[in-house]
Amino acid sequence: MKYLKILNTIAFIIPFIIGIGKGIKEQDAGVGIIVGLVSTLITGIIQLVIALIYFYHYPGEKLIKIYFVGVIVFFSFLIFTKSGNDWYWSFPPVLFLLLSYIIYSKKENPVEV
């Protein structure tokens, strides 16, 4: 569980590091912001890997199942709707916060001796 927490923290920091680094290198904050936003794709992939590992270890957890339903709903909206309403882009931050809550609120099970 400790490694999932570390990986989640890294996933959170990646867009900021890439965005700031690219912005400083290009000396154009707009480029840095765009690259930072694109790098959130990496964060999303890492989050899915974290969720799958967590689900493997705790398949009975209700919140992780809700997370996966949220991911499916988000991608369904993304793929099947062509509306000008972009309200569904609020899903990724909510999903990120939900997965972070799931990971950080889980109590470590002490090893039985």
Side-chain angles (χ1 to χ4, degrees):
M1 186 60 88
K2 178 182 176 183
Y3 297 110
L4 290 181
K5 291 177 182 178
I6 293 169
L7 190 58
N8 191 50
T9 303
I10 291 169
F12 177 71
I13 294 172
I14 285 174
F16 296 109
I17 292 173
I18 292 175
I20 291 170
K22 185 69 172 176
I24 291 171
K25 181 180 175 189
E26 298 291 327
Q27 295 182 354
D28 182 8
V31 172
I33 291 171
I34 291 170
V35 172
L37 290 173
V38 171
S39 69
T40 58
L41 177 66
I42 298 169
T43 298
I45 292 169
I46 292 172
Q47 285 263 295
L48 280 175
V49 169
I50 291 169
L52 289 170
I53 293 170
Y54 186 91
F55 183 72
Y56 177 77
H57 290 288
Y58 305 103
E61 289 283 328
K62 189 165 118 177
L63 285 176
I64 197 69
K65 292 175 185 175
I66 292 171
Y67 173 82
F68 282 119
V69 168
V71 169
I72 291 168
V73 168
F74 171 69
F75 281 109
S76 297
F77 275 115
L78 196 61
I79 292 170
F80 297 116
T81 62
K82 300 201 188 293
S83 67
N85 188 0
D86 291 337
W87 60 269
Y88 51 83
W89 285 104
S90 63
F91 272 65
V94 171
L95 290 171
F96 182 86
L97 292 173
L98 176 61
L99 186 61
S100 296
Y101 173 77
I102 293 168
I103 291 170
Y104 288 105
S105 67
K106 183 71 176 172
K107 302 288 185 217
E108 295 286 334
N109 291 336
V111 177
E112 302 275 336
V113 180

